[in-house]
Amino acid sequence: MAADDPLPPDRPVLRKTAAGGGGLSVRDLRVSYGPVQALRGVSLEVPRGSVVAVLGSNGAGKSTLLRAISGTLRFHRGSITSGGVEYADGPLSGLDASAVVARGVTQVPEGRRVFGRMTVAENLRAGTLGVRGRKAAAAAREHVLELFPVLAERAGQRAGLLSGGEQQMLAIGRALMAGPQVLLLDEPTLGLAPLMAERIADTVRKINSEGTTVLLVEQNAAMALSLASHAYVLEVGEVVMSGPAGELAASDEVRRRYLGESDEELTAEDAGDGEAPARLVLTRWSA
Ligand code: ATP
């Protein structure tokens, strides 16, 4: 099946993820940009301390989901038409972007948006504006420079002159300056060479191991599924599959559509002498 073929209408899907008490909850979220309905009733759970991935092809609604969580939809002329977002058992939807940051949820937008004319140090300082006191900002800076030593080496350099990978590090570093409890990452490895993508993935693991919850939106399904404990697949504004990342990674449909494996490869594996791949117990999606 080609990557852009429609999914069968009554396709099976995996189990819904268990709710994560005190984590981030998206409930039946509908979002429109004027006449364009970008999300059509999306529900998902990001338990505290987890890495959760959202996979999907171009236009599936991944960035829209993160914008709705981070309060930045209005900058794109979008709005939530129903449903909502909660974090730590309080509503996030309705808050503006700076209030969402103050609640501990920070987004790293797609496309490594750094202030190109500002230095690396100034970009990092911008991440703390209106959020924290001096002492906390200094501690956050130290932590970021420990994670990304190259940013210390380039502190006085204009951000626009950094490589793509370094700009991504700076974008993540700037978000971390706010000391988030939840980090929203929009395609952090997009356009990066495999080695750099792996470094970014390692950093995400480290950030999570230090206690930060991560919601990761990715087209790079292999990378995302290697990082996440749970994943959701979004198609045309709807969740069509969800489940433990390992189970999704073993599903033929995900392997065909998102991991680039051909029907021949999947059939050959099924017919081989080796150990059979894990098989899923599929249940129909009933949100
Ligand atoms: P990509 O990986 O290409 O960024 P995505 O999964 O992040 O895709 P979105 O960018 O969230 O998808 O887009 C979801 C839908 O909303 C698409 O149909 C897109 O064309 C539409 N859309 C996104 N931003 C806007 C906007 N500012 N105005 C109008 N429509 C938009």
Side-chain angles (χ1 to χ4, degrees):
M1 193 194 286
D4 54 355
D5 280 347
L7 287 162
D10 59 348
R11 60 197 168 272
V13 292
L14 304 181
R15 284 185 300 280
K16 199 174 175 185
T17 312
L24 186 73
S25 276
V26 174
R27 303 257 165 84
D28 197 23
L29 189 67
R30 289 167 200 271
V31 170
S32 294
Y33 298 98
V36 178
Q37 204 183 346
L39 296 183
R40 303 157 184 268
V42 168
S43 296
L44 57 84
E45 300 290 340
V46 186
R48 203 180 272 271
S50 66
V51 179
V52 169
V54 177
L55 314 177
S57 42
N58 280 329
K62 304 182 300 299
S63 296
T64 301
L65 172 67
L66 294 194
R67 290 170 188 163
I69 297 170
S70 64
T72 55
L73 262 181
R74 66 197 69 178
F75 305 136
H76 302 269
R77 300 185 183 197
S79 57
I80 294 177
T81 54
S82 71
V85 182
E86 287 196 359
Y87 175 59
D89 302 322
L92 273 195
S93 30
L95 300 182
D96 67 23
S98 57
V100 174
V101 172
R103 286 282 307 279
V105 179
T106 305
Q107 183 179 357
V108 180
E110 189 182 24
R112 317 190 257 284
R113 301 242 174 75
V114 294
F115 301 115
R117 287 164 182 271
M118 285 164 53
T119 66
V120 167
E122 287 165 345
N123 267 274
L124 290 180
R125 245 189 326 272
T128 61
L129 286 180
V131 176
R132 313 185 58 151
R134 265 196 195 171
K135 249 189 174 170
R141 186 170 183 279
E142 197 174 313
H143 175 232
V144 167
L145 297 181
E146 215 171 90
L147 273 176
F148 302 115
V150 69
L151 298 183
E153 290 161 24
R154 306 277 159 90
Q157 194 171 323
R158 271 167 56 169
L161 300 176
L162 300 178
S163 72
E166 289 164 351
Q167 287 187 6
Q168 184 62 72
M169 292 177 190
L170 180 56
I172 296 174
R174 193 179 57 196
L176 290 176
M177 292 294 287
Q181 295 161 11
V182 181
L183 194 62
L184 310 173
L185 287 170
D186 196 345
E187 306 216 28
T189 66
L190 188 69
L192 299 183
L195 215 60
M196 181 54 79
E198 200 40 58
R199 276 184 68 187
I200 297 292
D202 284 343
T203 308
V204 173
R205 270 185 207 103
K206 180 142 200 282
I207 291 167
N208 175 247
S209 73
E210 291 169 348
T212 306
T213 304
V214 177
L215 177 59
L216 170 71
V217 150
E218 262 297 342
Q219 279 190 48
N220 181 344
M223 195 278 274
L225 291 173
S226 78
L227 281 174
S229 54
H230 275 76
Y232 293 78
V233 178
L234 212 54
E235 286 291 337
V236 204
E238 287 179 288
V239 173
V240 294
M241 265 193 232
S242 70
E247 289 187 19
L248 278 172
S251 119
D252 282 356
E253 190 170 322
V254 168
R255 291 165 70 190
R256 211 180 271 120
R257 290 180 63 82
Y258 299 100
L259 299 174
E261 293 187 35
S262 65
D263 286 342
E264 291 73 26
E265 283 169 313
L266 292 169
T267 311
E269 190 173 302
D270 283 350
D273 297 333
E275 205 176 296
R279 282 287 166 255
L280 298 164
V281 179
L282 298 173
T283 56
R284 252 169 237 300
W285 175 255
S286 52

